Each structure stands twice: as structure tokens, then as C-alpha cells.
Amino acid sequence: MALERIQVTAERHPVSGGPRGMFLLGDAVERMEGLLGEYEGKIKLIYMDPPFMTGDRFYMRVRVGEKEWRQGKGSFALESFSDRFDRAEYLAMMRRVLELSRRLLSDEGMIFVHLDYRAHPHVRLLMDEIFGEDNLLNEIIWVYQSGGRSIHHFSRKHDVILFYRKSDRYDFNIDAVKAPRDKPRTSHMRRHVDPDGRVYRSIRSGGRVYTYYDDDPIAPTDVWQDLPHLQQKDPERTGFDVQKPLALLDRIVKCASRPGDWVLDPFAGSATTLEAARRNGRNFIGIDRSPLTLNIARRRLTGADYSLFLNNENRPESVCDAVVHAGVGFYHVILEGFSTDIPGLPELADPLDIVDNWSVGYLRSDGYHVMAEFARSKREGALARELAVPAYAGELALCASDITGISHYFALPR
Ligand SMILES: C[S@@+](CC[C@H](N)C(=O)[O-])C[C@H]1O[C@@H](n2cnc3c(N)ncnc32)[C@H](O)[C@@H]1O
């Protein structure tokens, strides 16, 4: 029997303890304006990796069905976002995002804006105006080696990350990101071994002797060469074209926030910042306007206490069949069928290949509370057809998310 479709705008993943967070589907400016009421002056760290005015369109190869999940390769390409702007339109959007960022940051807060050679000079001027030139802390150069080599000019192998503080009360923690040197300092230094077997170097200068242990942690400079870009087969890859490495966000999260602080990424993409925040015990808020990012966020945020805020725009028609069996203290829900219209979709081996993840939960006054969920993964490419949820009072509901990231909600009969 086809289930009754319902509208849901908040999907809750309640977990007790640990970091809290949310992912808001929608436009960065609109969603940040919406955050002001509750979060003005409360965010410790903002990282953003906005469009760079590259003129490109970015795609995501989504995996459809068990075989593609097991092989780790998707055959169906969907546009994740378009980076085609004229400069005035781009800068007007960035101005608004940066003004809102400043209002959302606490006085101890910091902001990192990730750009490339095209956008960074323009955005730097905007940030000088909005945050004040004196509040520029670094122009970080992130160097990577991936990709080919150009013969027309020197290959472009770095991004620029503009790092500003909100005020001179900023709470920067360099100790949290110190690491042993890649290569020991050797030039003109004498090598020694101390009684514990640790290697150190010494140099005499101006009548004083300076010593450096090889394994002493040191602070990174503003040129980051030790954090490689994700390789094609990197297990961290989600399929999202412009995904940044977790190690990069880990450094930023650790030096510019403390456990329990709020971290915001208004162009969250594949949720890298949110995962880095979650792993480090920070609370997180992500915003993105591409529904494709929701399926990735659901996987990367598993285990955190988080909510997804959706919009109901352009949600296509869909039909779902499921049956509910009452067990002792549990309901067992079996997904029997699901269909929706996805233009250009190749022929499916199984009609349920269109489902990327699904869940069962209860409708409450503040949204749909997920009680059991399944998302395909490399290990579990085949769709689990049955989920069990504890028997509570309240309206039982089901959410099926299709491969484009659109979530479809249905009431379940009992
Ligand atoms: C470069 S990607 C971010 C990648 C991310 N750092 C990661 O590691 O996956 C930029 C993201 O901004 C989103 N985006 C572009 N314009 C937006 C807007 N006006 N509001 C919200 N999100 C937007 C795109 O959908 C895309 O996911």
C-alpha cells in the first residue's frame, strides 16, 4: 500500500552527550541571517571555502546500487554546484556573507576564508574593510602537489587562506597544532644524543649555545606544505569534487577553537569542517544549498547529536511502499518499494537502487526524530530492507533519501 507523503523541515538525530550540531540546506546569506537570533556573537570559528569565481561547473559522481558502492565508483554525474558568477555579483554575495560572519563571531573568534589566486585579492580588500586591516593575522599558503603540470605558465599549486580575528581578544592556540619537524634542523649544527637517547642539535651564536631536539614539536608557519590534497583513491573521498582534506580542517579547528565551542562553515560542501569539529568535540553548524551534500553529511556526522534543516522547495513527487510488523517492544519496518523521478537516470538493476539511505523515526512537535537509519557504504552496499525501532507512543514515519540527496518523508500506519 502506498504511504501518505508528509512535509518535514527538521530531521533530528538525537544522541546523548558529545558534540551538537546542525546542517542547514539553503542559501548561505539567508541561513546566516536566520542564525543571528540565537547565535550572534557566539561562534568561535568560521571556516569557509566558497566558490572561487573559477567559471567552472562541479560535478559529483553518485553511486547507484550495490555494485557501484562496493567498487567505490559512481556512474551517474550530477552537478554539485556552479561557480559561474560575474565579479560584481560574486563580491556582493561575499560582502554580505562576511558582514554576517563578523556579527556571528564572538570577540574571541576567528575566521578563515579559503580562496585561490582569482578571488583572493578581491576578498582580501573586502575583509580589510569589514574586519579591519589590523585584524589580518595571516595569509596562509596551502601548497599541494596533486594534478598535472602546465607548459604555458608555472603550475598553480597553492590556495590562499585569509585568516582574520574579530578583535584583539582572539583565542588562538598554537600549542594545539605543534608537530615534530619533517626534517631535523641540521645546517651548521652539531649532533648530540642525550642520556635518554634523544637526538638534539646545538649551535653557538653571540656567545650563547642554542639546542634543539629533533623530536621537539614546532609551530607551523604560514606556508602549509605538509598537508597533501586528497588523492584519487583516497579512502577519505566522498565523491564530492572539491572536498578538502580532513587534516587541513583539523589544524584550523584545533588552533582556533576549544572543545564545546561553536564552529560554522557556510559553504559546507561535503561536511569536512563539520567532521573535523565533531572529531575534536566542537559543536558545528554547516550550510550548503546543494541537496547532494545532505547524503554525505548524514554519513560523516553519524554518532553526533545533530539536526538537518531542509526546505520543501522543488521536492519531486515520490511513491513509497512499506509494511510495519509489531514485535515485542519494537516495530519492524520493511521497505518494499520506492520511486521518484530523476531526469537522465540510467536503467536500474533494482528499483530500490535509487535509495541512498533511509530511516525510521517518530514525528514530534520539533520535527522528525530518527530512531534507526541505514546508509549504503563500501562495506554495506546492498540496501538493508528492514529497520527496527522501539515502540513508543507517537506517529511513526519513514524517510527515504534518493541518490540526488532529496529526502522524501512518509507517515507509517501501525
Ligand atoms: C568549494 S565547495 C566547499 C567544499 C568543502 N570545503 C568540502 O570540503 O567539501 C563550495 C560549496 O558552496 C556551496 N554553495 C555555493 N554557493 C552557495 C550559496 N550561495 N549558499 C550556500 N552554499 C553555496 C556549493 O554547493 C558547494 O558545496
Side-chain angles (χ1 to χ4, degrees):
M1 191 185 75
L3 303 176
E4 179 202 343
R5 253 167 78 100
I6 50 176
Q7 295 293 345
V8 166
T9 50
E11 179 182 304
R12 315 274 177 182
H13 294 248
V15 173
S16 49
R20 289 176 295 140
M22 54 179 139
F23 193 99
L24 305 124
L25 183 66
D27 177 67
V29 169
E30 281 171 28
R31 288 298 200 175
M32 287 171 93
E33 279 169 350
L35 289 174
L36 284 174
E38 204 176 336
Y39 292 94
E40 183 157 15
K42 299 215 174 98
I43 306 287
K44 183 66 163 294
L45 162 64
I46 298 179
Y47 166 87
M48 67 178 83
D49 174 19
F52 293 173
M53 276 194 300
T54 57
D56 294 333
R57 288 201 152 104
F58 292 94
Y59 291 86
M60 174 167 173
R61 286 207 160 269
V62 292
R63 295 167 197 164
V64 187
E66 181 183 355
K67 191 162 146 235
E68 294 192 358
W69 268 101
R70 281 228 233 89
Q71 293 170 344
K73 265 201 284 202
S75 60
F76 185 47
L78 285 170
E79 185 171 312
S80 54
F81 70 103
S82 162
D83 191 358
R84 296 191 171 167
F85 290 90
D86 71 49
R87 187 176 299 159
E89 178 196 6
Y90 177 78
L91 291 176
M93 190 258 301
M94 285 304 289
R95 172 181 289 281
R96 200 65 200 115
V97 167
L98 293 168
E99 284 168 350
L100 288 162
S101 297
R102 190 166 183 285
R103 287 180 65 185
L104 287 165
L105 281 176
S106 66
D107 286 347
E108 296 77 29
M110 287 150 273
I111 177 167
F112 294 73
V113 181
H114 192 138
L115 300 157
D116 75 358
Y117 67 97
R118 283 166 280 226
H120 112 260
H122 306 284
V123 176
R124 162 104 191 246
L125 294 176
L126 265 185
M127 293 188 77
D128 278 351
E129 185 190 323
I130 294 164
F131 287 87
E133 277 176 58
D134 292 348
N135 290 321
L136 171 71
L137 293 171
N138 287 116
E139 202 172 81
I140 298 164
I141 306 295
W142 177 43
V143 181
Y144 42 81
Q145 300 297 335
S146 52
R149 297 283 153 141
S150 173
I151 53 167
H152 305 293
H153 47 72
F154 296 113
S155 297
R156 296 169 181 139
K157 299 291 177 196
H158 78 275
D159 287 355
V160 176
I161 305 176
L162 298 172
F163 171 29
Y164 285 71
R165 62 185 184 186
K166 164 117 175 230
S167 79
D168 59 6
R169 288 179 48 202
Y170 74 114
D171 174 28
F172 180 61
N173 182 6
I174 193 77
D175 287 333
V177 292
K178 284 183 174 168
R181 289 172 205 279
D182 279 350
K183 286 191 214 118
R185 286 173 66 153
T186 49
S187 50
H188 314 297
M189 292 195 192
R190 287 188 57 197
R191 184 176 183 278
H192 313 265
V193 180
D194 78 5
D196 296 328
R198 286 176 70 201
V199 176
Y200 69 99
R201 321 266 163 174
S202 71
I203 189 166
R204 181 179 290 278
S205 172
R208 282 188 60 191
V209 177
Y210 295 87
T211 56
Y212 304 94
Y213 275 87
D214 279 7
D215 58 0
D216 262 350
I218 52 154
T221 68
D222 59 359
V223 180
W224 294 359
Q225 309 193 58
D226 54 335
L227 306 172
H229 222 319
L230 297 176
Q231 302 302 315
Q232 280 311 319
K233 299 240 149 113
D234 204 298
E236 214 178 293
R237 269 200 184 275
T238 60
F240 200 74
D241 246 359
V242 283
Q243 180 183 347
K244 299 298 177 295
L246 202 48
L248 180 79
L249 271 304
D250 194 61
R251 177 170 293 172
I252 292 174
V253 164
K254 280 184 170 141
C255 70
S257 64
R258 307 217 179 230
D261 282 341
W262 282 94
V263 174
L264 165 67
D265 184 341
F267 298 92
S270 65
T272 314
T273 310
L274 314 191
E275 184 173 355
R278 174 180 70 73
R279 284 176 181 239
N280 286 295
R282 276 63 163 172
N283 299 320
F284 53 83
I285 304 175
I287 303 170
D288 203 288
R289 70 175 177 199
S290 164
L292 274 173
T293 57
L294 289 180
N295 284 349
I296 307 173
R298 280 197 183 87
R299 288 190 175 81
R300 295 188 94 174
L301 302 179
T302 305
D305 179 354
Y306 74 98
S307 302
L308 296 174
F309 292 94
L310 310 146
N311 51 35
N312 285 312
E313 286 161 24
N314 311 322
R315 238 183 252 184
E317 282 304 314
S318 53
V319 179
C320 185
D321 279 316
V323 287
V324 181
H325 296 292
V328 184
F330 277 90
Y331 291 113
H332 297 267
V333 179
I334 299 159
L335 182 64
E336 300 212 310
F338 175 79
S339 63
T340 185
D341 186 30
I342 299 179
L345 185 70
E347 205 176 312
L348 302 175
D350 174 342
L352 282 176
D353 283 352
I354 208 169
V355 178
D356 178 272
N357 61 82
W358 72 292
S359 64
V360 177
Y362 287 92
L363 294 176
R364 306 244 190 268
S365 56
D366 62 346
Y368 164 69
H369 285 230
V370 174
M371 302 297 293
E373 57 188 318
F374 172 84
R376 293 181 197 262
S377 65
K378 266 190 159 181
R379 257 186 307 119
E380 288 183 281
L383 193 75
R385 301 282 291 268
E386 181 173 333
L387 290 173
V389 293
Y392 295 144
E395 262 188 82
L396 203 55
L398 176 156
C399 167
S401 298
D402 69 40
I403 51 166
T404 70
I406 308 275
S407 302
H408 308 257
Y409 297 88
F410 301 88
L412 281 167
R414 281 205 245 161

